[in-house]
Amino acid sequence: MPETAPASRFDEAAIAALRARFEQVGCAQLADAARDLITVLDLPLAARNGRPRVCGPVFPVATDDDMLPCLQALAATPPGWVLLLHNRVTPSEALAGDIFAASAAAQRLGGIVVDGAVRDLLELAPLPVPVFSTQVTYVSARTTETRADQVPQTVRAGGCEIRPGDWIFGDADGFLLLAEDRVSAVLAAGAVLRNQEEKLIDAITRGDGTLAELTGLADFLAGTGPLTFAP
């Protein structure tokens, strides 16, 4: 079957613009602002090269400790998209390392997310593409035997279905998924929430009051007022 990405409403420049907006918020704000619209990706993913954020349309593929589907997906992932490799075998051999990530960077990918292992952490550090994984090992996946029937493909990982073209967001707090048509609105809602949070932090830092005082906790507990903050 053809190895192409699904149609997306976002070109590379639009993806970059949305990524810049994500720099001003985080997964916590997106989840708080739109709890019913986000899908939690429940995987213990960690940043492996000092780049703590990743977001973009996701390009998923599954493998069984075989590099061939990973290489197929790397070759087909469009600029700006986030390549997601899901290893159905655990513990995982390394599905990506410095050579793999160097190619991803040259192809201007938005990131590499591996539900499995990566390696070459020291060599990954200077590369501009964010790399996340659930495991680390120096043992590389060596087989190239089983071709993926299709890339990208819907995979099931972290308690949910990961569909090509959905948006993946990740930072130090965790990962979530959003339908493509919800991305801009949820980022906007998250930015409003983050602005409110920053005003509250500023007020506490200035000495305007404690969290309890600024949010009316005593009145709320007494049943005489709301629990809120009005800057």
Side-chain angles (χ1 to χ4, degrees), residues 51-165:
R51 301 187 181 278
R53 290 174 180 263
V54 65
C55 78
V58 67
F59 197 96
V61 70
T63 185
D64 296 291
D65 255 348
D66 193 304
M67 280 302 301
L68 190 52
C70 307
L71 295 170
Q72 288 175 256
L74 176 63
T77 305
W81 287 53
V82 176
L83 174 58
L84 185 141
L85 308 176
H86 167 57
N87 197 353
R88 291 179 291 235
V89 175
T90 188
S92 173
E93 295 176 342
L95 301 180
D98 56 348
I99 298 172
F100 192 97
S103 184
Q107 295 168 228
R108 305 192 305 279
L109 269 57
I112 301 170
V113 176
V114 183
D115 180 17
V118 300
R119 70 176 198 171
D120 304 325
L121 299 194
L122 292 178
E123 291 78 12
L124 291 178
L127 295 175
V129 60
V131 179
F132 288 78
S133 75
T134 58
Q135 302 172 46
V136 175
T137 181
Y138 52 78
V139 179
S140 176
R142 292 177 294 278
T143 59
T144 51
E145 297 173 351
T146 307
R147 175 191 177 99
D149 292 334
Q150 180 178 353
V151 293
Q153 58 192 220
T154 297
V155 304
R156 183 160 188 86
C160 62
E161 281 194 344
I162 305 170
R163 297 179 295 270

